[in-house]
Amino acid sequence: SKRRILVCGGGNGAHCLSTLAASQKNSEVQVLTLFQDEAERWAKQLEDSDVKLTITDLDGSQQDLFAKPILITKDSEKAMSGVQIIFLVVPAFAHAGYFMAIEPHLQPNTLIVGLPGQAGFEFQCRSILGDKASTCTIASLESLPWACRILEFGRHAQILGAKESLGISYIKGKSCDLPFPVVESIQDILGKKPKIEEIQNYIAINLMAKSMVHPPILYGKWGDWDGKPLQKEPLFYQGIDERQADLLSKVSDELIATGKKLEQLKEGIYMSQVIHIFDWYKTYYKDQITDKSCLMMAMRTNSAYDGLVHPMIKTEEGYIPNFNYRYTTEDIPYGLVVMKGIAEIAGVDTPVMDEIIAWAQQKLDKEYIVGSKLSGKDVGTTRAPQSYGLKTVDELFDT
Ligand code: NAI
């Protein structure tokens, strides 16, 4: 019999994953999208046609797949019928809505996958699922497997160059008995690339979440901004200078230190997979980076970043930075603040992360950090472990 997959979401990644999986003989796909009238609009597009998925490889070669889900709905009960694997393929702020929608219909021995999970995915999922969390397996991938985009809503999407490899971690609930293997099944659905690599524990993957990249770059660029509009939109990654690269590198050092400390504090926990962001770039963008001499040059010469600019708002006088873009709205409460929360539990000082969070929270009109403590009034709206009552190292690893 076919394995039934639920894809939650209706954006770029959801279009690509659902079509990719639906094109496989041994899978059938249902889609749940809770966003506005997205389900209705998408279903209508597919009454008389398949979705076309164009897969463009790094060498420029191209392949088209045609397939479609057997169901696209806003109704979580229908969407959940008979599913064995659930993928959440939406920005992190939308995860809670999906956890709440699937919980009443969740059957034991289901695999729930964050693609990507983003920091705090497991804390939030376990909290919302309550007792049911122990009956299923919760997995998280460190990023989306590809750069991808919708070309025509509901009808045509494109995958641009898959990454070489991608980390995954999972928490198998105490009474969960999955009838299929986690890593192999996900690999089977995604195809040959990227190669899915198992990360030993979920805290490691939280410390590796790629939401750590954007805030240091933003702070380095705009922390001392004089308020004058710019005539051009500055390059985001390829425009980074020494100071920005240094901030990014130091945040990465603080995350590695957090991992090492947890390793010392908890027997059986290994954090060697929490690697420096420079080493990560050299591995994951192996073929796209031309100058690997230092982090700054690696980012400046990464062709995957061609043309990507800072989020800006166009005004009559020129461009001003948009501090309400997902690089802050998501990557602070569902990124850096979560990592800070883990570091605080580990007892590791993180002066650079603190400085960046303190700056970003002003832009977001929130209070997460006070001095070096995560004790601001808005911590409860983030996915920091503290929001879910986790305060000790033992509690972090009691899964
Ligand atoms: P997207 O921007 O296409 O997601 C939009 C979708 O999210 C909407 O279609 C809707 O289904 C849902 N959504 C939006 N606003 C909502 C709301 N207020 N309430 C409920 N649902 C809402 O996202 P995309 O591009 O598919 O990315 C998914 C995740 O993967 C994100 O976390 C993104 O940062 C990450 N990612 C994306 C990459 C890409 O190339 N697209 C590359 C690497 C990571």
Side-chain angles (χ1 to χ4, degrees):
S1 73
K2 291 190 175 192
R3 98 183 127 207
R4 189 173 287 182
I5 296 165
L6 176 65
V7 174
C8 296
N12 302 308
H15 272 66
C16 294
L17 178 69
S18 61
T19 310
L20 190 63
S23 74
Q24 297 164 348
K25 278 195 221 60
N26 60 344
S27 303
E28 57 190 11
V29 177
Q30 309 195 140
V31 168
L32 173 65
T33 161
L34 303 171
F35 184 55
Q36 297 174 352
D37 61 347
E38 202 166 60
E40 214 181 316
R41 285 193 292 126
W42 192 356
K44 204 163 185 326
Q45 290 282 7
L46 295 185
E47 274 168 7
D48 53 7
S49 83
D50 282 341
V51 184
K52 177 173 170 183
L53 178 63
T54 300
I55 303 176
T56 307
D57 230 324
L58 287 175
D59 61 14
S61 65
Q62 209 156 288
Q63 180 203 353
D64 288 331
L65 294 177
F66 295 86
K68 67 175 164 185
I70 56 170
L71 175 72
I72 301 176
T73 180
K74 192 179 189 155
D75 180 330
S76 51
E77 185 176 357
K78 285 189 190 136
M80 285 289 285
S81 71
V83 306
Q84 293 146 302
I85 307 181
I86 301 169
F87 286 97
L88 276 77
V89 196
V90 285
F93 71 83
H95 286 162
Y98 284 97
F99 293 142
M100 288 189 269
I102 65 177
E103 186 274 335
H105 318 291
L106 189 64
Q107 296 300 313
N109 307 324
T110 304
L111 172 62
I112 301 171
V113 188
L115 190 79
Q118 310 274 36
F121 181 82
E122 299 86 349
F123 301 138
Q124 185 180 48
C125 182
R126 285 159 57 81
S127 165
I128 295 177
L129 297 187
D131 291 342
K132 285 190 179 173
S134 63
T135 69
C136 52
T137 294
I138 302 167
S140 177
L141 284 114
E142 63 180 324
S143 183
L144 207 60
W146 347 268
C148 66
R149 60 187 176 181
I150 294 173
L151 295 177
E152 186 190 351
F153 178 81
R155 284 191 190 264
H156 190 190
Q158 183 179 28
I159 286 180
L160 301 141
K163 299 190 170 75
E164 283 297 318
S165 65
L166 199 61
I168 186 174
S169 71
Y170 61 92
I171 301 174
K172 189 173 160 300
K174 287 194 174 96
S175 54
C176 178
D177 186 15
L178 270 194
F180 50 85
V182 176
V183 178
E184 288 83 347
S185 302
I186 294 176
Q187 186 76 70
D188 198 41
I189 293 165
L190 295 180
K192 257 196 242 115
K193 246 170 72 165
K195 171 106 177 44
I196 307 299
E197 309 273 3
E198 190 170 336
I199 306 279
Q200 197 232 9
N201 66 82
Y202 84 105
I203 297 297
I205 212 145
N206 272 269
L207 296 175
M208 290 285 292
K210 292 294 128 358
S211 42
M212 56 84 64
V213 174
H214 303 126
I217 295 179
L218 279 179
Y219 175 60
K221 177 84 184 168
W222 306 109
D224 300 324
W225 181 50
D226 59 10
K228 289 206 187 93
L230 277 67
Q231 290 320 302
K232 252 177 75 183
E233 296 158 291
L235 287 170
F236 190 80
Y237 303 95
Q238 292 179 347
I240 86 166
D241 62 17
E242 264 168 40
R243 181 171 132 74
Q244 288 168 297
D246 187 52
L247 285 163
L248 177 57
S249 181
K250 283 180 171 148
V251 168
S252 190
D253 290 337
E254 291 175 351
L255 295 169
I256 293 171
T258 301
K260 290 217 167 104
K261 186 73 184 297
L262 288 169
E263 207 170 57
Q264 286 164 14
L265 295 172
K266 189 81 189 168
E267 200 166 330
I269 289 296
Y270 301 100
M271 292 285 185
S272 58
Q273 287 154 312
V274 181
I275 57 172
H276 195 273
I277 189 72
F278 182 33
D279 296 321
W280 185 84
Y281 272 113
K282 284 188 283 190
T283 313
Y284 285 74
Y285 291 105
K286 185 162 63 78
D287 300 326
Q288 283 110 309
I289 294 175
T290 45
D291 183 343
K292 300 190 178 78
S293 60
C294 64
L295 177 60
M296 181 181 81
M297 287 316 295
M299 298 195 68
R300 288 182 156 234
T301 64
N302 183 348
S303 62
Y305 290 151
D306 281 352
L308 296 179
V309 293
H310 275 265
M312 304 296 280
I313 299 165
K314 195 172 180 185
T315 70
E316 287 189 352
E317 292 78 43
Y319 294 97
I320 57 168
N322 178 2
F323 296 122
N324 270 293
Y325 186 67
R326 61 186 169 83
Y327 293 173
T328 43
T329 54
E330 284 216 52
D331 293 345
I332 297 296
Y334 306 104
L336 230 49
V337 171
V338 181
M339 299 171 192
K340 167 68 186 171
I342 296 170
E344 198 165 286
I345 291 174
V348 171
D349 290 337
T350 56
V352 181
M353 275 204 268
D354 298 356
E355 190 180 328
I356 295 169
I357 295 171
W359 172 80
Q361 68 184 5
Q362 279 188 313
K363 303 294 173 206
L364 295 170
D365 201 16
K366 291 280 192 295
E367 182 193 70
Y368 305 125
I369 204 164
V370 179
S372 63
K373 291 292 284 178
L374 210 53
S375 58
K377 64 175 170 56
D378 297 311
V379 172
T381 64
T382 74
R383 294 207 299 203
Q386 289 80 357
S387 300
Y388 308 100
L390 303 173
K391 296 195 178 80
T392 67
V393 174
D394 284 339
E395 283 167 355
L396 274 188
F397 292 105
D398 178 22
T399 55

